Amino acid sequence: MEYALCMVLIAVGLYGAVVKKNVVKIVISLVIIEFGINALLVLIGYRAAGCAPVLNPGMTVATFTAGAVDPLPQAMVMTAIVINLGLLILMVALCIRLYERFGTFDITEMRRLKG
Amino acid sequence: MSLLVILLVLMIIGAIIAIETTNLLSSIVCMGAVGIMISILYLFMGAPDLAIAQLVVEVLCLIILIRATISRDLTSVTGDREFFGMVVTAALVLVIAVAGVMMFADFPEFGRPVMDRIAGTASAEYLARGPEQVVPRNIVSTLILSYRNSDALGEVAVLFCAVLGALAILRRPARKQEMEKDREADAV
């Protein structure tokens, strides 16, 4: 159920990225795809009633290993979040330039992209 | 119905509103709401580091996107691309979504990570040996900063390249020269 809802979120983002005409909306759709994929990765590493992978004082390593959620997907999602910020900066810079060049955000109006 | 399902359904509704609304500014704000909801989801999934990072990145995303759209005319471009292509793409997206849902239905049940099912995975090793091998008690920080620090180095390199590319795109003089070249080409 939870995995399926994440997949639905990814599909909503994919629909927006393919169908919409507005460039900024395509960027927003790509960000939504990123949200869905990150949520899916974190949900795969979730343990039912698990604690955060932080070793508190007074907690033995054995109970910690048996009770903490999976830290590896979280580390990867942390990297992905930061990289997606860089990607968003690049895409928004392109959007600003395209608006200055063509005077619109409509991608069907941008005819001379082939150089 | 658990809190997680409610959060995910709210995120899907927010995403649909963000994609379908006509006003671009409210679309960006809806995307920000989805980001805040995913931050709450991380908090309940036992990932406080991710929740903090997502919150900071979300605020930055909002500022950047509003900078891109504020004081622009003609921002509310509505309508979709031509009808037949839209139908075909919608059908394709539907097929992809159904295939993904069927694939995730084959996953083992929710709430049992891989390290519970298979002995000797990397995650279990990190959890068991991290506290004694490395000083920080936060295993996610341990993973990013010591076990997989070359990964973090690559991340910094990618971020640097992205910011460099954005600066190169946004720089004024280079852009003007290029437009003059284009005008000359048009004149010829």
Side-chain angles (χ1 to χ4, degrees):
Chain A
M1 178 69 181
E2 288 86 0
Y3 299 139
L5 284 175
C6 284
M7 194 63 214
V8 170
L9 193 61
I10 295 171
V12 167
L14 195 61
Y15 168 80
V18 174
V19 168
K20 287 296 159 186
K21 278 205 298 192
N22 197 326
V23 178
V24 179
K25 269 202 181 157
I26 293 174
V27 172
I28 288 172
S29 306
L30 291 176
V31 173
I32 285 169
I33 294 178
E34 173 221 329
F35 286 159
I37 290 173
N38 287 351
L40 181 67
L41 278 177
V42 171
L43 288 188
I44 285 174
Y46 180 65
R47 188 200 296 268
C51 66
V54 179
L55 186 64
N56 292 321
M59 190 189 262
T60 63
V61 172
T63 58
F64 178 60
T65 311
V69 300
D70 198 342
L72 197 54
Q74 293 190 15
M76 287 175 177
V77 170
M78 183 74 102
T79 310
I81 287 174
V82 178
I83 285 179
N84 274 301
L85 180 65
L87 195 66
L88 182 88
I89 292 171
L90 198 59
M91 287 192 293
V92 167
L94 277 173
C95 285
I96 293 172
R97 276 298 165 208
L98 282 175
Y99 187 86
E100 285 186 5
R101 181 72 183 271
F102 296 99
T104 176
F105 279 132
D106 191 346
I107 56 168
T108 54
E109 302 280 323
M110 299 172 186
R111 291 294 181 201
R112 292 177 54 224
L113 283 179
K114 286 178 193 164
Chain B
M1 190 186 275
S2 68
L3 183 74
L4 179 63
V5 175
I6 295 172
L7 262 177
L8 279 169
V9 170
L10 279 178
M11 278 169 64
I12 291 168
I13 293 171
I16 291 172
I17 294 174
I19 288 174
E20 286 300 330
T21 187
T22 54
N23 191 349
L24 208 51
L25 203 57
S26 53
S27 169
I28 291 167
V29 171
C30 274
M31 194 210 78
V34 178
I36 303 295
M37 274 186 263
I38 204 173
S39 173
I40 299 171
L41 184 127
Y42 289 155
L43 205 56
F44 282 105
M45 290 293 102
D49 315 74
L50 283 182
I52 296 167
Q54 178 66 44
L55 207 58
V56 173
V57 164
E58 195 48 51
V59 171
L60 276 175
C61 280
L62 222 63
I63 292 170
I64 292 166
L65 275 170
I66 287 177
R67 164 73 184 78
T69 54
I70 204 84
S71 76
R72 301 269 196 280
D73 307 328
L74 294 171
T75 51
S76 58
V77 176
T78 55
D80 304 320
R81 298 190 204 175
E82 68 265 36
F83 182 71
F84 180 69
M86 197 190 95
V87 169
V88 170
T89 49
L92 270 180
V93 167
L94 202 64
V95 167
I96 291 172
V98 170
V101 168
M102 282 165 66
M103 185 178 81
F104 294 131
D106 281 344
F107 269 32
E109 85 243 57
F110 174 71
R112 289 189 69 216
V114 181
M115 61 181 180
D116 274 7
R117 299 192 295 267
I118 303 165
T121 55
S123 309
E125 290 289 309
Y126 291 145
L127 277 179
R129 300 209 181 144
E132 64 192 36
Q133 281 180 343
V134 192
V135 175
R137 289 294 179 257
N138 185 344
I139 304 296
V140 179
S141 316
T142 301
L143 274 178
I144 292 173
L145 295 177
S146 72
Y147 285 117
R148 293 186 168 264
N149 56 358
S150 54
D151 203 358
L153 183 67
E155 168 197 338
V156 171
V158 170
L159 196 61
F160 179 73
C161 287
V163 172
L164 215 61
L167 283 180
I169 290 169
L170 285 177
R171 218 164 49 122
R172 291 274 159 192
R175 190 68 205 164
K176 266 180 194 162
Q177 280 171 9
E178 195 182 318
M179 290 194 59
E180 279 166 14
K181 256 184 227 160
D182 276 356
R183 273 196 209 108
E184 284 167 12
D186 285 353
V188 169

